[in-house]
Amino acid sequence: AYWVDSQQKRYVPVKGDPIIGIVTAKAGDIFKVDVGGSEQASLSYLAFEGATKRNRPNVQVGDLVYGQFIVANKDMEPEMVCIDSSGRANGMGIIGHEGLLFKVSLGLIRKLLAPNCEIIQELGQLYPFEIVLGMNGRIWVKAKTVQQTLIVANILEACEHMTSEQRKQALAKLSES
Amino acid sequence: MNGGLGCSQFMQRGLDSETKKQLEEEEKKIISEEHWYLDLPELKEKESFIIEERSFMPCEDLLYGRMSFKGFNPEIEKLMIQMNSRYKKEEIEADDKMEADVSDEEMARRYESLVGTIGKKFLKKRDRHELQDEDEDENSNLRPSNVKKMFLKPQD
């Protein structure tokens, strides 16, 4: 297989990509979600685990959702869902109200999601925290305190232009304090 | 057989089948002459070996995007193992360091008795009787080996 690796910040929706979206509007049966692309994606209220017409998911404007695209081409508005093909959530759906959302370049996301990513492994030994990475360049982090959350976020943002040595130095300083 | 009056099929009910056939053929001829066609040799569509894939996920074997560390969110940590194992199934199969549930010795013991029990199945009736007598001789007590739990009649 061959692929073209490029540095870009602008995300283009691709079918099957898991992404973090921000709900911007409720329009009857669907939600409008900002995914960082040229168009907003639509998310049906039935596309959540255990959702029925009577049992609607509790999604408000401004909520963060983690889902994947089922339709994404240049001719149509992208559509996303928060369940997989068998109807299970598998971690997708509304992301909690706490935590911090920030943007990084797409190349960094791919680096962080690579099978043996040192950055993620080293950070994981620092503090307990949870993280969601969207292929659209968005990362959501939540740690026990606001300070820890900000530290994790800053390190990830700085990883774009830090060498691995600089990063290890920074982490060593942090684990000392 | 007037061709002029009996041109359209729709208006005719009582036409003979022959005239109907003739009319149909004439209509077909007219259509085929007006029909335009390309006077080119047949072009075969070449089989394309290029598959276009727009996502990076399969290219670089990316992991599942939701992660938790140091037990912050135990459900997510369970999910991490589950989702990543789906991608790494091939690796696990190649890994021969599987912990055995049963030790090798136990397996050998089980197989020993298994061979015996299945071997009995293929013995002839006489041989089977001999085997049973052997059991009684070894132990003075009648060792009830493999007694089926059946309804026991109460002794009077």
Side-chain angles (χ1 to χ4, degrees), chain A residues 90-91 113 125 129 131 133, chain B residues 55 63-67 69-70:
Chain A
N90 274 342
L113 283 176
Q125 292 169 4
F129 68 92
I131 183 173
L133 296 124
Chain B
S55 163
L63 295 175
Y64 181 60
R66 240 191 136 149
M67 308 184 197
F69 299 97
K70 292 203 164 187

Side-chain angles (χ1 to χ4, degrees), chain A residues 43-59:
Chain A
L43 168 61
S44 161
Y45 75 92
L46 288 170
F48 291 85
E49 184 170 10
T52 61
K53 289 192 182 172
R54 293 194 185 169
N55 179 20
R56 293 180 178 231
N58 187 16
V59 179

Side-chain angles (χ1 to χ4, degrees), chain A residues 26 33 117 158:
Chain A
K26 245 183 184 176
V33 181
C117 176

